[in-house]
Each structure stands twice: as C-alpha cells, then as structure tokens.
Amino acid sequence: MILDRDDVPWRGYWPAAPTPFTADGALDEDAWAELLRLYLRQGVHGVLVNGSTGEWFSQTPAERRRVAEIAVEVAGRIPVVVGVTAYTQDEAIGLAEHAAATGAGGVLATPPPYVHPGPDEILAFYERVSSATDLPFMVYNWPRGVAVDLGDHPGLVERLADLPNVAAIKDSTGDWLKMLATVEAVADRVRVFGSFLHRRGLAVLLGLGGDGNIDGGGLGAPFAVPFYEAVARRDEEAARAFVDRYAALSSRLIRPDYSGVFASPIPQLKAAMAELGQPGGHVRPPLLPATGAALDGIRAALEESGLRAALEPAGASS
C-alpha cells in the first residue's frame, strides 16, 4: 500500500514530549502518564514521543519501549508518533516494530546521527526503516542533531516523499527558506511540519501549504492550539492574535537555530515546566539542570510572555 498525506489525520500543534526522569535518574512512569494527560487536557492535535526532546539518546532500549507503551495507552485517542532514531538501521527497525505492535499511530526517525551519510545512503536508510512496518512514517530533518540537512541535496526530499510509507516530513532546519522549499516541493503529497508559529508562517499556511508544528515540550500549547484551530477555519484575525502571543514566548526562550537562550534546550524546557508545576521531571547526564541566572531568565520569560498568566486561570499549571 502506498500512503500519502490524505491517509493520516496529522495536523496542528503537537508537543515533542520530554521524558520525565526522577532526581536519581529513573524513568518516572507516573509523571509521564500525568504529562500525557496534561497534553490531552490542552487539546493538542498529536504527540511525538522519544524524539530529541524526549532524550532518546540517554534511554535504554527497554525504557524507550516502555515510554512508547505508556504513551499509546494514555494518549492513544490522538495520533501518537514514536521516535525510532538510532545509530544503526537495525536498531531503528526493532523500535519501529515494537511501536507497531504497541498500536502507535506512526514512527519517525532522523538520518543516523554522527555518521554524516550522503544522499544515496540517506535514501537507502529510509527505504529500509520506513518499510519495516505498515505504520505511516515521518522523515525528520534535524541538522542541529545529526549534522546533515536534507535540503542541501537537490531532489532528496522529493525522493523521500515518494517512498511508499512516508506520509509526513518534520523539517526542523534552522534555514527557514529551506523549509519553505520543502513545503513547495512535497506538501501536495505528504504532511509537512515545520516552523509556522509566527505571522510569516501563518501566511505560508494559508497560501502555500503546510500542516503543523511539532514543538519541543509543548509549553506554547495555550497559544498554539487555538492558533491552529483558527487556521483550520480560516480565521486570520484570531490566528494572528494567538500566534503573536506564541511568538512572544518562543522568542524569549529559543533562538532561530533551535538553541536555548538561557541553557541547553531540554534543561531549559524542564526548568520552565517545573516553574509552571508541569511534570517534566529531571534531565539525565550528560545534560545538567538549569540553575542560577538561567532560572532567573526563564522565570522572567514566562512572566513577560504572559504564559503564566494564561495558564493560571484555567488551572493548567497545577
């Protein structure tokens, strides 16, 4: 069977969920289930687990499988896409097969980290991994994490979109024009998740195409969920109001290249979640928790952006 964008209901605002760990480094299953329930209450349109924000790189294979199982059990009424990025294709295939057996809605992978594969090697990798199960597959372009930008290779994104099980591309290049090129090239065939949560992105969504954002941690859900609902009903005025509020938050915490303003992105995220009473848990080494001046900056960003005030009346920070 050949899949395309119409075979999956993937759109809107998804958190790339962090994986909560306890202070002594154990997987916190209770906090993980609580976080998933928070996402459901916030009305997100899907969730990505065991991605970069989920610290897949510091988990054991057994932990990655358990994280996926809990996610499907708790949040399976919305799309749950499981990250299967790994250093070898056999590892990625094993994780994809487990995700399929668990009942996940799809799987995602970057090219293998560290390897710096060329375009033919990238295509061969995705051919093998995407065809290992019948699940819809999301290609993940993540140059910051793997030092390879799919957009640097002419025609590669189109070749990947033509693979039978590929139904979406998550394009997290730091080069916005390259992301627009991805939208132009393949949005008629596959879903495209990119950087749309600003007024330029709104214009692209309403004119050129594109489907959503998969956002590290989902802090911006109170603004981004209603933004995408407004986009869906073509209400430009409401969409502009919500996207401006989102941009006021994101610009204070994340730079255009996806680095953090005050600390590494994941420690910064988990510190912000702790400030809001959300169950993000602790980071695992080699990451270190945000402290001192970084915490002061994070607190100020939450106040100045209006996020804390937006959460408190609805009780979403408790």
Side-chain angles (χ1 to χ4, degrees):
M1 182 174 68
I2 297 176
L3 300 177
D4 65 20
R5 60 174 291 110
D6 296 325
D7 293 307
V8 292
W10 297 353
R11 68 164 191 90
Y13 184 72
W14 298 24
T19 304
F21 303 112
T22 64
D24 60 2
L27 175 62
D28 192 335
E29 294 191 9
D30 290 340
W32 177 224
E34 183 182 351
L35 178 58
L36 292 163
R37 288 190 288 267
L38 170 63
Y39 289 148
L40 293 175
R41 292 196 300 273
Q42 291 178 324
V44 302
H45 304 102
V47 61
L48 169 66
V49 307
N50 284 338
S52 304
T53 303
E55 295 177 78
W56 69 263
F57 45 81
S58 66
Q59 294 184 54
T60 67
E63 287 173 328
R64 293 183 72 174
R65 288 169 168 80
R66 184 62 183 143
V67 166
E69 291 164 1
I70 294 171
V72 172
E73 178 183 350
V74 174
R77 70 172 185 258
I78 62 173
V80 175
V81 170
V82 176
V84 301
T85 297
Y87 291 100
T88 70
Q89 68 181 20
D90 287 344
E91 290 177 278
I93 287 171
L95 292 166
E97 291 172 339
H98 174 267
T102 300
V107 289
L108 162 149
T110 70
Y114 190 80
V115 179
H116 293 222
D120 290 339
E121 293 161 330
I122 292 169
L123 181 63
F125 169 81
Y126 279 119
E127 284 176 332
R128 285 287 311 280
V129 178
S130 68
S131 65
T133 75
D134 292 331
L135 286 178
F137 194 92
M138 186 181 294
V139 171
Y140 184 12
N141 187 33
W142 179 225
R144 177 175 165 83
V146 302
V148 170
D149 193 328
L150 302 180
D152 286 340
H153 303 290
L156 179 58
V157 170
E158 292 94 322
R159 294 166 75 192
L160 295 171
D162 284 338
L163 293 176
N165 282 358
V166 171
I169 293 177
K170 180 181 188 295
D171 195 347
S172 296
T173 177
D175 186 327
W176 200 67
L177 292 179
K178 285 183 182 177
M179 188 217 64
L180 289 185
T182 297
V183 174
E184 287 186 282
V186 300
D188 61 330
R189 285 175 277 166
V190 299
R191 304 277 177 167
V192 177
F193 289 81
S195 174
F196 301 113
L197 277 162
H198 37 68
R199 289 205 180 194
R200 298 186 311 279
L202 173 60
V204 172
L205 289 168
L206 294 176
L208 187 61
D211 295 275
N213 279 69
I214 299 179
D215 189 19
L219 277 183
F223 308 140
V225 169
F227 165 75
Y228 272 105
E229 295 297 338
V231 170
R233 63 179 185 269
R234 313 293 287 190
D235 184 345
E236 294 185 45
E237 182 177 357
R240 282 194 298 271
F242 283 117
V243 86
D244 287 348
R245 298 185 73 185
Y246 178 91
L249 170 67
S250 64
S251 65
R252 286 171 166 84
L253 293 172
I254 297 294
R255 298 188 175 96
D257 65 355
Y258 298 106
S259 61
V261 171
F262 302 107
S264 298
I266 300 170
Q268 179 178 268
L269 166 67
K270 289 191 170 183
M273 294 177 76
E275 284 293 317
L276 297 170
Q278 297 178 353
H282 298 263
V283 295
R284 269 184 175 169
L287 297 177
L288 297 173
T291 59
L295 281 180
D296 293 337
I298 291 165
R299 292 181 186 118
L302 298 177
E303 295 290 346
E304 293 165 3
S305 68
L307 178 61
R308 192 189 297 274
L311 285 169
E312 286 175 351
S317 63
S318 62

PDB file of all heavy atoms in Angstrom, residues 251-276:
ATOM      1  N   SER A 251      10.255  33.478  21.325  1.00  0.00           N
ATOM      2  CA  SER A 251      11.408  34.336  21.053  1.00  0.00           C
ATOM      3  C   SER A 251      12.227  34.611  22.302  1.00  0.00           C
ATOM      4  O   SER A 251      13.412  34.949  22.208  1.00  0.00           O
ATOM      5  CB  SER A 251      10.945  35.652  20.427  1.00  0.00           C
ATOM      6  OG  SER A 251      10.144  36.398  21.342  1.00  0.00           O
ATOM      7  N   ARG A 252      11.618  34.488  23.468  1.00  0.00           N
ATOM      8  CA  ARG A 252      12.345  34.702  24.717  1.00  0.00           C
ATOM      9  C   ARG A 252      13.120  33.469  25.165  1.00  0.00           C
ATOM     10  O   ARG A 252      13.970  33.555  26.045  1.00  0.00           O
ATOM     11  CB  ARG A 252      11.370  35.127  25.826  1.00  0.00           C
ATOM     12  CG  ARG A 252      10.875  36.564  25.702  1.00  0.00           C
ATOM     13  CD  ARG A 252       9.760  36.845  26.703  1.00  0.00           C
ATOM     14  NE  ARG A 252       9.486  38.276  26.836  1.00  0.00           N
ATOM     15  CZ  ARG A 252       8.686  38.971  26.035  1.00  0.00           C
ATOM     16  NH1 ARG A 252       8.085  38.358  25.030  1.00  0.00           N
ATOM     17  NH2 ARG A 252       8.503  40.270  26.234  1.00  0.00           N
ATOM     18  N   LEU A 253      12.800  32.308  24.592  1.00  0.00           N
ATOM     19  CA  LEU A 253      13.417  31.071  25.068  1.00  0.00           C
ATOM     20  C   LEU A 253      14.267  30.348  24.027  1.00  0.00           C
ATOM     21  O   LEU A 253      15.240  29.675  24.387  1.00  0.00           O
ATOM     22  CB  LEU A 253      12.325  30.105  25.562  1.00  0.00           C
ATOM     23  CG  LEU A 253      11.561  30.520  26.817  1.00  0.00           C
ATOM     24  CD1 LEU A 253      10.394  29.562  27.075  1.00  0.00           C
ATOM     25  CD2 LEU A 253      12.496  30.556  28.025  1.00  0.00           C
ATOM     26  N   ILE A 254      13.894  30.452  22.748  1.00  0.00           N
ATOM     27  CA  ILE A 254      14.561  29.657  21.713  1.00  0.00           C
ATOM     28  C   ILE A 254      15.035  30.560  20.585  1.00  0.00           C
ATOM     29  O   ILE A 254      14.288  31.418  20.106  1.00  0.00           O
ATOM     30  CB  ILE A 254      13.603  28.583  21.149  1.00  0.00           C
ATOM     31  CG1 ILE A 254      13.198  27.604  22.254  1.00  0.00           C
ATOM     32  CG2 ILE A 254      14.245  27.826  19.989  1.00  0.00           C
ATOM     33  CD1 ILE A 254      14.330  26.752  22.787  1.00  0.00           C
ATOM     34  N   ARG A 255      16.286  30.348  20.148  1.00  0.00           N
ATOM     35  CA  ARG A 255      16.840  31.086  19.017  1.00  0.00           C
ATOM     36  C   ARG A 255      16.420  30.424  17.703  1.00  0.00           C
ATOM     37  O   ARG A 255      15.991  29.271  17.687  1.00  0.00           O
ATOM     38  CB  ARG A 255      18.362  31.128  19.131  1.00  0.00           C
ATOM     39  CG  ARG A 255      18.868  31.856  20.382  1.00  0.00           C
ATOM     40  CD  ARG A 255      20.373  32.024  20.339  1.00  0.00           C
ATOM     41  NE  ARG A 255      20.860  32.808  21.465  1.00  0.00           N
ATOM     42  CZ  ARG A 255      21.338  32.297  22.592  1.00  0.00           C
ATOM     43  NH1 ARG A 255      21.393  30.964  22.732  1.00  0.00           N
ATOM     44  NH2 ARG A 255      21.771  33.069  23.567  1.00  0.00           N
ATOM     45  N   PRO A 256      16.569  31.136  16.581  1.00  0.00           N
ATOM     46  CA  PRO A 256      16.157  30.560  15.289  1.00  0.00           C
ATOM     47  C   PRO A 256      16.850  29.252  14.930  1.00  0.00           C
ATOM     48  O   PRO A 256      16.291  28.460  14.154  1.00  0.00           O
ATOM     49  CB  PRO A 256      16.515  31.673  14.291  1.00  0.00           C
ATOM     50  CG  PRO A 256      16.420  32.933  15.084  1.00  0.00           C
ATOM     51  CD  PRO A 256      16.923  32.565  16.452  1.00  0.00           C
ATOM     52  N   ASP A 257      18.047  29.016  15.464  1.00  0.00           N
ATOM     53  CA  ASP A 257      18.736  27.752  15.170  1.00  0.00           C
ATOM     54  C   ASP A 257      18.351  26.645  16.144  1.00  0.00           C
ATOM     55  O   ASP A 257      18.965  25.583  16.158  1.00  0.00           O
ATOM     56  CB  ASP A 257      20.251  27.941  15.182  1.00  0.00           C
ATOM     57  CG  ASP A 257      20.802  28.318  16.560  1.00  0.00           C
ATOM     58  OD1 ASP A 257      20.003  28.533  17.509  1.00  0.00           O
ATOM     59  OD2 ASP A 257      22.044  28.390  16.694  1.00  0.00           O
ATOM     60  N   TYR A 258      17.331  26.882  16.970  1.00  0.00           N
ATOM     61  CA  TYR A 258      16.790  25.933  17.946  1.00  0.00           C
ATOM     62  C   TYR A 258      17.677  25.746  19.179  1.00  0.00           C
ATOM     63  O   TYR A 258      17.440  24.825  19.959  1.00  0.00           O
ATOM     64  CB  TYR A 258      16.480  24.566  17.307  1.00  0.00           C
ATOM     65  CG  TYR A 258      15.437  24.637  16.219  1.00  0.00           C
ATOM     66  CD1 TYR A 258      15.784  24.531  14.883  1.00  0.00           C
ATOM     67  CD2 TYR A 258      14.095  24.832  16.528  1.00  0.00           C
ATOM     68  CE1 TYR A 258      14.821  24.614  13.879  1.00  0.00           C
ATOM     69  CE2 TYR A 258      13.132  24.914  15.532  1.00  0.00           C
ATOM     70  CZ  TYR A 258      13.509  24.795  14.207  1.00  0.00           C
ATOM     71  OH  TYR A 258      12.562  24.882  13.223  1.00  0.00           O
ATOM     72  N   SER A 259      18.652  26.596  19.375  1.00  0.00           N
ATOM     73  CA  SER A 259      19.389  26.573  20.636  1.00  0.00           C
ATOM     74  C   SER A 259      18.608  27.359  21.684  1.00  0.00           C
ATOM     75  O   SER A 259      17.747  28.182  21.361  1.00  0.00           O
ATOM     76  CB  SER A 259      20.792  27.171  20.459  1.00  0.00           C
ATOM     77  OG  SER A 259      20.710  28.531  20.037  1.00  0.00           O
ATOM     78  N   GLY A 260      18.898  27.080  22.968  1.00  0.00           N
ATOM     79  CA  GLY A 260      18.209  27.766  24.043  1.00  0.00           C
ATOM     80  C   GLY A 260      18.846  29.104  24.374  1.00  0.00           C
ATOM     81  O   GLY A 260      20.060  29.279  24.230  1.00  0.00           O
ATOM     82  N   VAL A 261      18.052  30.054  24.826  1.00  0.00           N
ATOM     83  CA  VAL A 261      18.547  31.374  25.183  1.00  0.00           C
ATOM     84  C   VAL A 261      19.296  31.339  26.504  1.00  0.00           C
ATOM     85  O   VAL A 261      20.353  31.963  26.657  1.00  0.00           O
ATOM     86  CB  VAL A 261      17.386  32.385  25.248  1.00  0.00           C
ATOM     87  CG1 VAL A 261      17.837  33.720  25.828  1.00  0.00           C
ATOM     88  CG2 VAL A 261      16.780  32.587  23.857  1.00  0.00           C
ATOM     89  N   PHE A 262      18.789  30.574  27.486  1.00  0.00           N
ATOM     90  CA  PHE A 262      19.351  30.608  28.830  1.00  0.00           C
ATOM     91  C   PHE A 262      20.136  29.356  29.204  1.00  0.00           C
ATOM     92  O   PHE A 262      20.945  29.384  30.124  1.00  0.00           O
ATOM     93  CB  PHE A 262      18.227  30.821  29.854  1.00  0.00           C
ATOM     94  CG  PHE A 262      17.438  32.074  29.623  1.00  0.00           C
ATOM     95  CD1 PHE A 262      16.158  32.023  29.116  1.00  0.00           C
ATOM     96  CD2 PHE A 262      17.998  33.315  29.883  1.00  0.00           C
ATOM     97  CE1 PHE A 262      15.428  33.172  28.882  1.00  0.00           C
ATOM     98  CE2 PHE A 262      17.276  34.483  29.655  1.00  0.00           C
ATOM     99  CZ  PHE A 262      15.991  34.413  29.150  1.00  0.00           C
ATOM    100  N   ALA A 263      19.886  28.255  28.532  1.00  0.00           N
ATOM    101  CA  ALA A 263      20.549  26.984  28.843  1.00  0.00           C
ATOM    102  C   ALA A 263      20.343  26.071  27.638  1.00  0.00           C
ATOM    103  O   ALA A 263      19.703  26.454  26.655  1.00  0.00           O
ATOM    104  CB  ALA A 263      19.959  26.353  30.108  1.00  0.00           C
ATOM    105  N   SER A 264      20.881  24.859  27.702  1.00  0.00           N
ATOM    106  CA  SER A 264      20.576  23.887  26.662  1.00  0.00           C
ATOM    107  C   SER A 264      19.062  23.711  26.583  1.00  0.00           C
ATOM    108  O   SER A 264      18.365  23.812  27.599  1.00  0.00           O
ATOM    109  CB  SER A 264      21.245  22.548  26.968  1.00  0.00           C
ATOM    110  OG  SER A 264      22.651  22.679  26.984  1.00  0.00           O
ATOM    111  N   PRO A 265      18.530  23.444  25.398  1.00  0.00           N
ATOM    112  CA  PRO A 265      17.068  23.477  25.249  1.00  0.00           C
ATOM    113  C   PRO A 265      16.300  22.558  26.193  1.00  0.00           C
ATOM    114  O   PRO A 265      15.255  22.956  26.723  1.00  0.00           O
ATOM    115  CB  PRO A 265      16.868  23.073  23.789  1.00  0.00           C
ATOM    116  CG  PRO A 265      18.110  23.519  23.101  1.00  0.00           C
ATOM    117  CD  PRO A 265      19.214  23.280  24.095  1.00  0.00           C
ATOM    118  N   ILE A 266      16.774  21.336  26.417  1.00  0.00           N
ATOM    119  CA  ILE A 266      15.989  20.411  27.243  1.00  0.00           C
ATOM    120  C   ILE A 266      16.041  20.799  28.722  1.00  0.00           C
ATOM    121  O   ILE A 266      14.985  20.853  29.375  1.00  0.00           O
ATOM    122  CB  ILE A 266      16.434  18.954  27.001  1.00  0.00           C
ATOM    123  CG1 ILE A 266      16.241  18.592  25.525  1.00  0.00           C
ATOM    124  CG2 ILE A 266      15.632  17.990  27.878  1.00  0.00           C
ATOM    125  CD1 ILE A 266      16.869  17.276  25.112  1.00  0.00           C
ATOM    126  N   PRO A 267      17.217  21.087  29.313  1.00  0.00           N
ATOM    127  CA  PRO A 267      17.199  21.592  30.685  1.00  0.00           C
ATOM    128  C   PRO A 267      16.386  22.875  30.841  1.00  0.00           C
ATOM    129  O   PRO A 267      15.685  23.055  31.845  1.00  0.00           O
ATOM    130  CB  PRO A 267      18.680  21.839  30.984  1.00  0.00           C
ATOM    131  CG  PRO A 267      19.406  20.894  30.092  1.00  0.00           C
ATOM    132  CD  PRO A 267      18.586  20.838  28.835  1.00  0.00           C
ATOM    133  N   GLN A 268      16.461  23.753  29.846  1.00  0.00           N
ATOM    134  CA  GLN A 268      15.668  24.980  29.906  1.00  0.00           C
ATOM    135  C   GLN A 268      14.182  24.662  29.906  1.00  0.00           C
ATOM    136  O   GLN A 268      13.404  25.222  30.688  1.00  0.00           O
ATOM    137  CB  GLN A 268      16.032  25.861  28.700  1.00  0.00           C
ATOM    138  CG  GLN A 268      15.264  27.148  28.614  1.00  0.00           C
ATOM    139  CD  GLN A 268      15.699  27.993  27.436  1.00  0.00           C
ATOM    140  OE1 GLN A 268      16.571  28.829  27.569  1.00  0.00           O
ATOM    141  NE2 GLN A 268      15.084  27.787  26.280  1.00  0.00           N
ATOM    142  N   LEU A 269      13.767  23.747  29.031  1.00  0.00           N
ATOM    143  CA  LEU A 269      12.365  23.345  28.975  1.00  0.00           C
ATOM    144  C   LEU A 269      11.908  22.757  30.295  1.00  0.00           C
ATOM    145  O   LEU A 269      10.857  23.137  30.833  1.00  0.00           O
ATOM    146  CB  LEU A 269      12.169  22.322  27.850  1.00  0.00           C
ATOM    147  CG  LEU A 269      10.847  21.559  27.886  1.00  0.00           C
ATOM    148  CD1 LEU A 269       9.680  22.489  27.603  1.00  0.00           C
ATOM    149  CD2 LEU A 269      10.870  20.387  26.918  1.00  0.00           C
ATOM    150  N   LYS A 270      12.674  21.811  30.827  1.00  0.00           N
ATOM    151  CA  LYS A 270      12.232  21.154  32.054  1.00  0.00           C
ATOM    152  C   LYS A 270      12.210  22.120  33.233  1.00  0.00           C
ATOM    153  O   LYS A 270      11.342  22.009  34.120  1.00  0.00           O
ATOM    154  CB  LYS A 270      13.112  19.934  32.332  1.00  0.00           C
ATOM    155  CG  LYS A 270      12.850  18.788  31.345  1.00  0.00           C
ATOM    156  CD  LYS A 270      13.517  17.497  31.749  1.00  0.00           C
ATOM    157  CE  LYS A 270      13.038  16.337  30.878  1.00  0.00           C
ATOM    158  NZ  LYS A 270      13.615  15.041  31.273  1.00  0.00           N
ATOM    159  N   ALA A 271      13.117  23.083  33.234  1.00  0.00           N
ATOM    160  CA  ALA A 271      13.074  24.101  34.287  1.00  0.00           C
ATOM    161  C   ALA A 271      11.816  24.949  34.161  1.00  0.00           C
ATOM    162  O   ALA A 271      11.158  25.270  35.161  1.00  0.00           O
ATOM    163  CB  ALA A 271      14.317  24.981  34.213  1.00  0.00           C
ATOM    164  N   ALA A 272      11.454  25.317  32.931  1.00  0.00           N
ATOM    165  CA  ALA A 272      10.232  26.104  32.721  1.00  0.00           C
ATOM    166  C   ALA A 272       9.007  25.308  33.143  1.00  0.00           C
ATOM    167  O   ALA A 272       8.077  25.846  33.773  1.00  0.00           O
ATOM    168  CB  ALA A 272      10.130  26.520  31.256  1.00  0.00           C
ATOM    169  N   MET A 273       8.971  24.034  32.814  1.00  0.00           N
ATOM    170  CA  MET A 273       7.840  23.204  33.197  1.00  0.00           C
ATOM    171  C   MET A 273       7.735  23.103  34.720  1.00  0.00           C
ATOM    172  O   MET A 273       6.634  23.149  35.274  1.00  0.00           O
ATOM    173  CB  MET A 273       7.968  21.824  32.567  1.00  0.00           C
ATOM    174  CG  MET A 273       7.849  21.856  31.045  1.00  0.00           C
ATOM    175  SD  MET A 273       8.081  20.241  30.271  1.00  0.00           S
ATOM    176  CE  MET A 273       6.495  19.474  30.657  1.00  0.00           C
ATOM    177  N   ALA A 274       8.876  22.965  35.385  1.00  0.00           N
ATOM    178  CA  ALA A 274       8.859  22.910  36.850  1.00  0.00           C
ATOM    179  C   ALA A 274       8.298  24.206  37.428  1.00  0.00           C
ATOM    180  O   ALA A 274       7.530  24.189  38.400  1.00  0.00           O
ATOM    181  CB  ALA A 274      10.258  22.634  37.378  1.00  0.00           C
ATOM    182  N   GLU A 275       8.682  25.335  36.839  1.00  0.00           N
ATOM    183  CA  GLU A 275       8.170  26.618  37.298  1.00  0.00           C
ATOM    184  C   GLU A 275       6.648  26.693  37.173  1.00  0.00           C
ATOM    185  O   GLU A 275       5.978  27.339  37.972  1.00  0.00           O
ATOM    186  CB  GLU A 275       8.811  27.756  36.497  1.00  0.00           C
ATOM    187  CG  GLU A 275      10.226  28.075  36.878  1.00  0.00           C
ATOM    188  CD  GLU A 275      10.324  28.664  38.270  1.00  0.00           C
ATOM    189  OE1 GLU A 275       9.481  29.524  38.620  1.00  0.00           O
ATOM    190  OE2 GLU A 275      11.229  28.248  39.018  1.00  0.00           O
ATOM    191  N   LEU A 276       6.115  26.010  36.149  1.00  0.00           N
ATOM    192  CA  LEU A 276       4.670  26.044  35.899  1.00  0.00           C
ATOM    193  C   LEU A 276       3.927  24.903  36.586  1.00  0.00           C
ATOM    194  O   LEU A 276       2.715  24.763  36.428  1.00  0.00           O
ATOM    195  CB  LEU A 276       4.412  25.981  34.396  1.00  0.00           C
ATOM    196  CG  LEU A 276       4.952  27.163  33.586  1.00  0.00           C
ATOM    197  CD1 LEU A 276       4.842  26.875  32.093  1.00  0.00           C
ATOM    198  CD2 LEU A 276       4.217  28.452  33.942  1.00  0.00           C
TER     199      LEU A 276
END
